[in-house]
Amino acid sequence: MSASSQATNGQNKIAKPQGFDLLIYRVKKYFGRLDPYLTILGIGLWLFTYWVLCEGLQVWRFTKLPGPVAVSKDWFSTTPFQGISIFTAEYYDHIAVSCRRILIAFGIATALGVPLGLFMGWSRSIRDYIFPLIEVLRPIPILAWVPLSILLLPGFEWPVLFLATLASFFVTTLNAMLGVDSIDEEYFRAAGCLGSSRWDVFMNVVVPGALPFIFTGLQISIGVAWFSLVAAEMVSGDLGLGYLIVDAYMNNVTVPMVIAMITLGFIGYFSSALVRMLGNKLMAWHVKELNQQGR
Amino acid sequence: MSKNMKISERLGALSIKNVTKVYDPEGVNVKAVDNCSMEIEGGEVCMIVGPSGCGKTTLLNSIAGFHSITEGSIHLDNELLCGPEKPIAAQGADRMVVFQHGALFPWKTLQENVAYGPTVQKTLGAKEAMSKAGDMLAEAGLGNFLTRYPGEVSSGMARRAEIVRALINDPKVLLLDEPYRAMDALTKQIMHESLLETYDRTGVTIFFITHDLEEAIFLGDKVHIVTTRPCQLKKTVEVKIPRPRSYETQSSEDFRKLLAEVNEAVHEEAVKAFQAGERELA
């Protein structure tokens, strides 16, 4: 026993890089691999193709589209030809409105969907009540809800929020429920013989056990929220990136349309990265387990 | 519980009488356990050996209260756990299970896992539970791994921590379902030594399911050999090798004789089980 505990002591004394050193180590490791160069090459190829089609060779209908040069000229200009650039307040108004809507919609969907899904996974009778209903409503495309939401809710803001919330809610609920289903029966049994009440089991087995699925669900759900938000803004909206796209198209200015599309892509990417980061923070145990498996 | 006490005076006597368990999947009755009786004295290490899928785990699950029995009764220290009027035993910390695949909560550190039982039973405050858990883990040689998650330590350490998680509740009976199944021979040896050390210290009754005959004889006071499905007691072999036992015991003449005796009884059942080709029940 003493020999083995000495050996483990020794192992623990090897200093692991911390803080800034760890960051440097990770950056070095990242650029030591092939991945970043392939990513850069991939983006370069895509941009080049885009340029060739629109501006280089001006292939057929692509002449209607602004090419990468035209778009970036306007995007980064203090006096944009077609009205939208990083120096105009209007651009940020649209972004802010869309982001605020996502924050509200995603927040409501998460606050309702996660507990509901967990309870559905935890209790047979709650599931029997609700699951069939959700399964019928879920396949209805979000655009099909547009007329109903405009009829039912006042103004521009409420229908848009409702549509974004709805889509996101279904994904979150379903994933939280599947997360509970995925928990090994033995954890429930272990909790039972350790003397847990039903509430203890919920808090200590159901919630943490379902977290990996919940966060997978949240990453999908924030994407779905953006998707349905933009669709909703296109149909019923007064501001926001979706509205900007449609508005630009209607007024025959194509550069803001493309700028809004690319902006949506970046914001969507960052928002799901944010959700992923939050998930990793809450699930240190899960991250460490995956690391041990070399993933 | 002192080790000077005779086994029969200790707590944790299990009496299994005429237990029958019938599963009813898809309308077809499957008898997993048939009229099985066993007497396990308090503080005894009782090893259950039998072919795969014979219903050993069913028996353990009935004791733990994970499912009901169809007929018969099970008593713990003369108190009814389950019987004709009460087909399913209440789950409780007097009978702690150590699971086949390990069931430490992967989202809790080793220390949090061990502290969980006393915390939810409210026998200790959260802080006291954590500090007692830390002490007990250190005693088991896991003092350097308190803040690790189960996914970060070896299976041997995780299993040892799981036994500590069970023992912190002062159970009367420890129910182990092939806990060392997936381990290599060397790790197994270390696990055996530490289990025997734990047993010598606590004198808890141990109900241990295994396929490994050498393990059964090395650890056990009694080896109960059960038949292939439906599970019945076929033969009981008493192991009169004195404790404390060490690994040299395994090369002794007595040990070899017992092994041959057990092997003969089990082999017959294993052949039957193989020919029946039935799938294991949960």
Side-chain angles (χ1 to χ4, degrees):
Chain A
M1 186 57 71
S2 68
S4 74
S5 62
Q6 258 175 16
T8 49
N9 275 337
Q11 201 180 30
N12 278 2
K13 272 176 196 155
I14 298 169
K16 284 183 184 166
Q18 295 285 335
F20 186 66
D21 287 338
L22 186 65
L23 185 73
I24 296 282
Y25 168 77
R26 283 188 181 154
V27 169
K28 265 189 188 163
K29 198 174 164 191
Y30 182 67
F31 284 101
R33 291 188 308 206
L34 202 57
D35 314 20
Y37 307 105
L38 288 179
T39 307
I40 293 165
L41 188 70
I43 294 172
L45 267 176
W46 181 85
L47 275 176
F48 180 70
T49 314
Y50 177 31
W51 177 82
V52 166
L53 285 172
C54 296
E55 286 165 342
L57 298 175
Q58 304 198 344
V59 180
W60 191 43
R61 306 241 334 165
F62 286 97
T63 49
K64 289 178 183 290
L65 281 184
V69 175
V71 169
S72 44
K73 255 188 195 160
D74 242 29
W75 202 358
F76 302 109
S77 153
T78 45
T79 51
F81 187 60
Q82 298 194 0
I84 292 288
S85 87
I86 56 166
F87 298 102
T88 59
E90 206 192 332
Y91 180 53
Y92 296 103
D93 285 345
H94 288 300
I95 293 179
V97 165
S98 284
C99 284
R100 201 189 63 219
R101 284 171 178 162
I102 283 296
L103 219 62
I104 295 170
F106 180 70
I108 295 174
T110 306
L112 293 177
V114 170
L116 182 67
L118 289 176
F119 283 121
M120 275 164 64
W122 182 47
S123 148
R124 191 76 231 177
S125 45
I126 296 180
R127 179 183 303 204
D128 290 342
Y129 273 118
I130 299 172
F131 187 60
L133 189 67
I134 286 196
E135 279 304 277
V136 172
L137 294 179
R138 201 166 59 93
I140 301 174
I142 217 63
L143 281 173
W145 287 90
V146 170
L148 185 141
S149 65
I150 295 175
L151 279 176
L152 202 65
L153 297 160
F156 289 122
E157 198 65 17
W158 290 107
V160 171
L161 282 177
F162 171 76
L163 293 169
T165 307
L166 195 67
S168 171
F169 170 76
F170 288 137
V171 176
T172 306
T173 309
L174 194 69
N175 269 281
M177 190 191 85
L178 293 177
V180 182
D181 288 350
S182 78
I183 303 170
D184 198 321
E185 176 62 27
E186 294 206 332
Y187 297 130
F188 289 102
R189 289 182 166 181
C193 64
L194 286 163
S196 314
S197 67
R198 226 162 126 61
W199 184 245
D200 290 326
V201 174
F202 184 76
M203 292 309 288
N204 292 287
V205 179
V206 172
V207 174
L211 268 192
F213 267 68
I214 290 176
F215 272 93
T216 310
L218 289 183
Q219 275 184 61
I220 302 170
S221 117
I222 202 163
V224 171
W226 274 109
F227 172 86
S228 45
L229 176 84
V230 170
E233 282 176 346
M234 288 174 127
V235 182
S236 152
D238 53 346
L239 268 172
L241 290 166
Y243 173 78
L244 176 61
I245 291 173
V246 162
D247 188 52
Y249 167 73
M250 296 291 195
N251 293 314
N252 222 358
V253 283
T254 49
V255 173
M257 184 183 89
V258 175
I259 291 178
M261 285 171 72
I262 298 173
T263 309
L264 268 174
F266 276 108
I267 297 177
Y269 175 81
F270 280 120
S271 58
S272 54
L274 220 61
V275 172
R276 193 161 42 238
M277 263 166 59
L278 182 70
N280 288 345
K281 208 158 179 85
L282 283 176
M283 298 184 293
W285 60 273
H286 191 58
V287 175
K288 285 179 179 171
E289 209 170 88
L290 294 182
N291 284 345
Q292 290 279 313
Q293 293 164 12
R295 286 206 256 164
Chain B
M1 278 177 253
S2 135
K3 51 177 147 174
N4 300 328
M5 270 186 185
K6 277 203 339 242
I7 279 182
S8 54
E9 292 162 5
R10 293 185 193 158
L11 286 175
L14 270 175
S15 164
I16 301 169
K17 281 197 192 101
N18 309 99
V19 168
T20 297
K21 170 70 184 174
V22 180
Y23 282 101
D24 194 5
E26 295 154 6
V28 186
N29 285 356
V30 179
K31 224 175 219 183
V33 181
D34 185 18
N35 201 13
C36 181
S37 298
M38 268 179 214
E39 290 297 325
I40 297 151
E41 289 172 61
E44 184 181 277
V45 182
C46 156
M47 311 295 288
I48 313 292
V49 177
S52 291
C54 77
K56 307 182 294 286
T57 302
T58 308
L59 206 55
L60 182 142
N61 286 347
S62 311
I63 300 170
F66 297 151
H67 58 52
S68 63
I69 57 172
T70 317
E71 279 166 42
S73 64
I74 302 176
H75 287 78
L76 175 61
D77 289 332
N78 296 320
E79 271 176 52
L80 183 77
L81 286 179
C82 51
E85 268 91 57
K86 189 191 168 207
I88 184 160
Q91 295 176 17
D94 52 348
R95 289 149 285 141
M96 291 299 315
V97 181
V98 176
F99 292 88
Q100 194 167 6
H101 307 289
L104 285 173
F105 302 127
W107 44 84
K108 289 183 185 293
T109 64
L110 296 188
Q111 194 174 9
E112 287 165 354
N113 260 290
V114 175
Y116 179 78
T119 312
V120 294
Q121 294 162 39
K122 302 193 172 68
T123 48
L124 289 177
K127 267 190 191 155
E128 291 94 320
M130 280 297 269
S131 82
K132 189 176 177 193
D135 293 344
M136 285 189 72
L137 280 165
E139 214 174 303
L142 295 166
N144 289 322
F145 301 92
L146 299 183
T147 56
R148 299 285 187 91
Y149 290 98
E152 294 180 283
V153 300
S154 70
S155 61
M157 281 190 180
R159 206 42 60 89
R160 207 185 277 185
E162 203 176 342
I163 291 174
V164 175
R165 180 175 77 168
L167 289 172
I168 196 172
N169 303 293
D170 279 326
K172 291 177 177 174
V173 186
L174 207 53
L175 303 162
L176 299 104
D177 187 0
E178 295 184 64
Y180 309 139
R181 184 183 200 171
M183 283 177 199
D184 60 274
L186 296 174
T187 312
K188 237 182 189 181
Q189 192 168 323
I190 293 167
M191 300 309 291
H192 288 162
E193 282 164 1
S194 98
L195 184 70
L196 283 181
E197 192 191 273
T198 307
Y199 172 71
D200 289 339
R201 208 173 54 233
T202 59
V204 63
T205 307
I206 292 178
F207 182 96
F208 193 122
I209 293 176
T210 183
H211 282 134
D212 183 336
L213 306 185
E214 298 190 13
E215 176 175 82
I217 297 166
F218 180 61
L219 296 176
D221 293 314
K222 275 184 194 152
V223 179
H224 293 297
I225 297 140
V226 293
T227 62
T228 186
R229 201 191 299 170
C231 171
Q232 275 177 320
L233 183 60
K234 181 187 172 92
K235 184 176 184 178
T236 301
V237 176
E238 279 201 51
V239 183
K240 286 185 174 140
I241 300 170
R243 294 180 190 276
R245 296 174 190 167
S246 72
Y247 251 77
E248 287 91 73
T249 316
Q250 294 211 359
S251 44
S252 74
E253 185 62 27
D254 288 346
F255 191 92
R256 291 286 136 201
K257 268 187 196 155
L258 284 168
L259 187 63
E261 191 182 341
V262 173
N263 203 354
E264 194 187 354
V266 173
H267 185 71
E268 211 179 286
E269 294 304 319
V271 170
K272 278 190 220 160
F274 185 79
Q275 284 167 349
E278 283 174 272
R279 237 183 95 74
E280 286 187 41
L281 290 171

